[in-house]
Amino acid sequence: MELAWRRHAACRGLDPEIFYPETDEDVEDAKDVCGSCDVQETCLEFALQGREKEGVWGGATEKERRRILRQRRRAS
């Protein structure tokens, strides 16, 4: 997958720790950044395709991404 989209990411240059919170309750800062990002959907698709297991990607936590993948499998 082409990674040029990362140059346009709102998280570029931010502390990565924001996107790897210790608990699901601590994800709001990351989700706020993702919510204002021009490449949020592309980032989420990247994480889904790569089966990223940790962190917030495209505004979705690991649990949320697993749910999205389950829903897609059921729909196909």
Side-chain angles (χ1 to χ4, degrees):
M1 176 179 236
E2 174 62 43
L3 299 179
W5 58 269
R6 289 182 173 193
R7 289 191 305 253
H8 307 286
C11 62
R12 186 173 181 196
L14 296 180
D15 183 355
E17 292 298 315
I18 295 170
F19 301 94
Y20 296 92
E22 297 207 11
T23 68
D24 283 348
E25 290 77 36
D26 298 329
V27 300
E28 289 310 311
D29 288 341
K31 286 189 170 215
D32 287 346
V33 173
C34 294
S36 67
C37 186
D38 292 335
V39 295
Q40 179 180 2
E41 290 179 31
T42 305
C43 179
L44 178 57
E45 286 304 316
F46 174 82
L48 293 171
Q49 288 179 14
R51 301 294 197 263
E52 289 291 338
K53 296 194 184 301
E54 296 180 2
V56 176
W57 289 79
T61 64
E62 177 186 349
K63 289 179 185 177
E64 292 166 335
R65 291 192 305 275
R66 284 195 312 256
R67 185 172 52 241
I68 292 167
L69 290 171
R70 278 193 308 272
Q71 289 170 343
R72 286 182 179 183
R73 279 193 297 270
R74 286 185 203 135
S76 59

